[in-house]
């Protein structure tokens, strides 16, 4: 099964469906990533703060998969954004991953009260230019943060990885990305189980119409909207299910019905607000 790719503003391509390891314990990460690679995933998303980069790296090393067939993302944590710390942080991550470069390096949160996110972005540009990451981007940044990054550096992030699921679609960030050539990645694409998404009539109807699970219908909704998505699971059967989303296509009406699940007032958010995380 071939996963579609999306071309980033860096010129590199990214598999639209990947595997995330958020909250995967360090001692389980190698097994989880190894199984994901066996299923067919080639895009792995980790972060320094997940404390499982070593496990991800071990799985990559044991897989025997050529490096150019893999897309690996990691992230700079908030306490490493000032001064020259991002340079130290990426080298530590590369050492743990056992890699010479990552395909995508992200700043993790803007932490506006610290006011270090512009410095971090400046250093990520240097990291990219040094060949330590092919593409660079951000996570959890709002349009006001993105505007400032571009105003001060002239460089548009390749991606913004944000909380995005049917009840919280962040249309303002999607619009910013569409206008500036920045792609959107979704974290928590299934709502992290924090609301009854899979019982919603629009999701259930779409799933039943195509003979798939509600989770598969929601992943397909992300894909058809051009969003990069990487659901997380440590159960191999669920990894297989999440990967099996290319044999059907939602109709425009089904997509519109799921679009309508967003209350538009921000009340559907299940994670932390970027303005409140410092």
């Amino acid at each position: 099964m071939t996963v579609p790719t999306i071309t980033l503003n860096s010129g590199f391509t990214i598999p639209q469906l990947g595997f995330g390891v958020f909250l995967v314990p360090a001692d389980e990460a190698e097994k989880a990533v190894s199984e994901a690679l066996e299923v067919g995933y080639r895009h792995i998303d980790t972060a320094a703060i997940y404390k499982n980069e070593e496990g991800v790296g071990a799985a990559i090393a044991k897989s025997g998969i050529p490096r150019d067939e893999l897309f690996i993302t990691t992230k700079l944590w908030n306490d490493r954004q000032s001064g020259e710390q991002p340079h130290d942080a990426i080298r530590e991550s590369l050492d743990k991953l056992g890699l010479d470069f990552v395909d995508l390096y992200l700043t993790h949160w803007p932490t506006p009260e610290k006011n270090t996110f512009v410095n971090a972005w400046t250093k990520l540009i240097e990291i990219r230019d040094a060949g330590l990451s092919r593409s660079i981007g951000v996570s959890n940044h709002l349009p006001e943060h993105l505007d400032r990054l571009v105003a001060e550096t002239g460089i548009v992030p390749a991606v913004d990885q944000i909380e995005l699921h049917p009840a919280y679609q962040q249309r303002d960030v999607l619009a910013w990305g569409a206008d500036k050539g920045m792609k959107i990645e979704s974290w928590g694409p299934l709502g992290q189980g924090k609301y009854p998404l899979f019982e919603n009539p629009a999701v259930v109807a779409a799933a039943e119409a195509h003979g798939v699970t509600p989770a598969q219908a929601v992943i397909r909704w992300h894909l058809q909207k051009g969003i990069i998505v990487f659901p997380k699971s440590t159960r191999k059967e669920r990894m297989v299910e999440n990967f099996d989303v290319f044999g059907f296509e939602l109709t425009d009406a089904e997509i519109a019905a799921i679009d309508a699940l967003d209350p538009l007032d921000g009340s559907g958010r299940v994670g932390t607000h970027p303005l409140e995380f410092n």
Side-chain angles (χ1 to χ4, degrees):
M1 186 181 302
T2 301
V3 175
T5 60
I6 287 178
T7 301
L8 304 176
N9 62 18
S10 60
F12 291 99
T13 59
I14 182 171
Q16 195 181 359
L17 177 64
F19 181 74
V21 295
F22 174 61
L23 294 182
V24 175
D27 59 352
E28 297 179 22
E30 181 181 343
K31 178 177 182 290
V33 173
S34 292
E35 291 182 342
L37 294 173
E38 290 171 5
V39 169
Y41 293 90
R42 293 295 181 266
H43 169 188
I44 308 296
D45 181 276
T46 186
I49 196 63
Y50 299 170
K51 301 187 185 305
N52 55 24
E53 289 172 313
E54 295 98 329
V56 172
I60 292 170
K62 290 183 179 180
S63 73
I65 298 170
R67 179 65 182 89
D68 62 4
E69 294 181 15
L70 298 171
F71 191 102
I72 310 299
T73 299
T74 194
K75 310 178 192 76
L76 172 74
W77 187 237
N78 306 337
D79 62 1
R80 309 294 297 277
Q81 290 189 352
S82 60
E84 297 297 318
Q85 290 188 88
H87 286 285
D88 296 330
I90 182 62
R91 292 185 184 281
E92 290 170 17
S93 287
L94 290 173
D95 183 59
K96 291 175 180 178
L97 290 163
L99 300 176
D100 295 326
F101 67 92
V102 288
D103 297 277
L104 181 62
Y105 195 44
L106 307 178
T107 58
H108 213 141
W109 290 85
T111 58
E113 287 184 10
K114 294 180 179 177
N115 196 32
T116 52
F117 69 96
V118 175
N119 179 77
W121 183 239
T122 300
K123 299 308 175 185
L124 257 67
I125 294 169
E126 295 173 0
I127 286 166
R128 178 201 64 185
D129 292 346
L132 301 180
S133 184
R134 286 183 165 176
S135 303
I136 53 174
V138 298
S139 186
N140 301 301
H141 282 47
L142 303 176
E144 62 194 82
H145 306 127
L146 297 165
D147 283 338
R148 188 171 164 201
L149 293 183
V150 176
E152 298 200 25
T153 69
I155 303 297
V156 175
V159 306
D160 191 357
Q161 184 180 123
I162 57 175
E163 176 186 341
L164 196 154
H165 44 85
Y168 192 70
Q169 297 175 32
Q170 299 220 55
R171 298 171 197 235
D172 57 341
V173 184
L174 266 69
W176 196 98
D179 182 56
K180 302 293 197 303
M182 177 188 75
K183 302 304 181 183
I184 302 298
E185 294 187 333
S186 164
W187 66 256
L190 305 178
Q192 296 187 326
K194 295 181 178 179
Y195 65 98
L197 175 61
F198 297 161
E199 299 170 20
N200 185 277
V203 174
V204 171
E208 291 181 348
H210 298 279
V212 299
T213 67
Q216 287 172 315
V218 173
I219 293 170
R220 186 69 208 177
W221 171 82
H222 283 84
L223 295 173
Q224 288 183 226
K225 292 176 73 69
I227 297 164
I228 300 158
V229 61
F230 33 88
K232 166 244 165 182
S233 179
T234 55
R235 294 168 49 199
K236 190 170 185 179
E237 62 270 22
R238 187 58 55 81
M239 298 178 197
V240 171
E241 175 186 317
N242 292 342
F243 197 72
D244 186 17
V245 289
F246 301 104
F248 68 100
E249 189 168 315
L250 301 182
T251 66
D252 290 345
E254 289 163 346
I255 289 176
I258 297 175
D259 284 350
L261 301 185
D262 187 350
L264 301 179
D265 62 1
S267 61
R269 179 186 284 276
V270 301
T272 304
H273 196 291
L275 296 181
E276 300 170 355
F277 191 88
N278 291 284

